[in-house]
Amino acid sequence: MKFLAQAAASLALLGGFATSSPVVSRAAAGPQSTLQQVTDLYPDPSGKAKMYVYVPEKLAPKPAVIVALHYCAGTAEAYFTGSPYAQLADDKGFVVIYPESPHDGTCWDVSSHKSLTHNGGSDSASVASMVAYALKEYSGDASKVFVTGSSSGAMMTNVIAATYPDLFQAAIVYSGVAAGCFVSTAGLVDAWNSTCSQGESHATAAQWANVVHDMYPGYTGARPRMQIYHGSADAALLPPNYNETIKQWSGVFGLDADKPAEVKSDFPLAGYTTTTWSEELQGIYALGVGHTVPIRGEDDMAFFGL
């Protein structure tokens, strides 16, 4: 495999990453409650990541928990106001965790050995700790825990699905890269990887699956169902990353990436192609859509089973 890590993205790249990450806004009425920060109430392995949570006024008994991960240069507040999950929580009574990256530029650490290892520390362990806190604090349903994110948050979605597969039942990735693709051979935290971002990191399905397996050695349990979105005009994380991500999870699930069970053109929108390999893996490729693919909240709920 061809991995070349660089220390960090330039400010221009980070700025472009953020401004090219539009998401669907919630309805003008807004949520019934407000975003709240949780401080000093959960063990944070990184010692830095911030936890914000949205709890609707009408909380369901044993509510589901959704983790919503922001993009580079984003914040928990920005993803709270720019994504539809709080409004959907009002309707369905689930809890939303909005983690906030502690790093300059607020990209997530998807490059260090710590974050790419189960219980290794750094951001992936911090997010897992937030989930454990929410399940206990709000009497959540451990069988209904989900994760999603856009751009850098999509990268972390893939990483946490690999490092904590026993924690999540499903994951939705909006314009990311395969788990481990941004690895830093120097072990750098929150490092930029131009080889990966430019779509030049290629491996077989088996090799990509081994990357996932190495993040949690010895794990043989269930893994979260994966839904992967990517745009054909993505200039930040180039389109070949879609194929590599599909190869990775098809390898993990023992599927043949070249033999999907179903392909639907112009679904769920004109120009979108939805490819289904099994109930564990589905990809949506959006023709002419850049970075990032807009969030489809109601479709997310259907995939999560909510």
Side-chain angles (χ1 to χ4, degrees):
M1 285 182 282
K2 185 180 174 186
F3 295 132
L4 176 62
Q6 296 181 348
S10 67
L11 186 59
L13 274 172
L14 288 172
F17 222 37
T19 57
S20 59
S21 300
V23 292
V24 176
S25 297
R26 83 163 62 87
Q32 298 172 5
S33 301
T34 59
L35 188 66
Q36 302 289 333
Q37 184 176 3
V38 176
T39 59
D40 301 324
L41 295 177
Y42 77 100
D44 176 16
S46 75
K48 299 178 182 178
K50 296 178 182 178
M51 177 181 180
Y52 293 83
V53 65
Y54 179 75
V55 182
E57 288 185 354
K58 295 181 180 179
L59 187 64
K62 290 189 68 65
V65 175
I66 293 180
V67 178
L69 293 154
H70 65 71
Y71 41 85
C72 278
T75 62
E77 177 70 29
Y79 214 49
F80 169 67
T81 58
S83 65
Y85 301 114
Q87 181 190 2
L88 291 164
D90 288 340
D91 295 338
K92 300 180 182 297
F94 57 78
V95 174
V96 190
I97 300 171
Y98 295 92
E100 186 169 291
S101 165
H103 310 293
D104 290 343
T106 66
C107 296
W108 292 101
D109 176 18
V110 292
S111 61
S112 75
H113 177 72
K114 287 184 177 181
S115 200
L116 297 176
T117 304
H118 179 74
N119 289 341
S122 195
D123 295 353
S124 63
S126 294
V127 173
S129 184
M130 294 177 194
V131 171
Y133 169 85
L135 287 173
K136 181 178 179 180
E137 180 71 11
Y138 306 109
S139 301
D141 187 342
S143 71
K144 295 181 180 179
V145 180
F146 311 98
V147 59
T148 185
S150 300
S151 191
S152 181
M155 298 187 207
M156 178 52 75
T157 298
N158 273 323
V159 165
I160 202 163
T163 50
Y164 294 90
D166 51 340
L167 198 58
F168 300 96
Q169 282 63 55
I172 301 176
V173 177
Y174 282 100
S175 307
V177 303
C181 190
F182 253 54
V183 66
S184 167
T185 55
L188 298 175
V189 173
D190 183 29
W192 187 258
N193 188 316
S194 293
T195 303
C196 180
S197 68
Q198 293 300 301
E200 297 174 358
S201 293
H202 302 288
T204 66
Q207 288 171 324
W208 277 125
N210 284 337
V211 171
V212 171
H213 294 146
D214 288 346
M215 291 185 188
Y216 192 171
Y219 180 75
T220 58
R223 295 187 180 272
R225 295 179 291 110
M226 303 297 300
Q227 188 177 63
I228 314 299
Y229 282 87
H230 216 100
S232 72
D234 195 326
L237 301 173
L238 268 61
N241 283 299
Y242 171 77
N243 292 326
E244 299 305 307
T245 306
I246 292 296
K247 283 196 293 182
Q248 180 171 66
W249 291 109
S250 65
V252 169
F253 292 123
L255 303 168
D256 187 336
D258 295 324
K259 296 180 179 179
E262 181 183 44
V263 179
K264 295 179 69 174
S265 299
D266 295 320
F267 184 83
L269 294 173
Y272 284 47
T273 299
T274 297
T275 305
T276 303
W277 283 266
S278 71
E279 64 178 12
E280 290 93 359
L281 179 61
Q282 186 176 71
I284 298 101
Y285 194 66
L287 185 65
V289 177
H291 191 81
T292 61
V293 176
I295 294 171
R296 299 188 55 78
E298 292 291 348
D299 289 349
D300 289 359
M301 297 300 100
F303 188 74
F304 288 155
L306 297 177

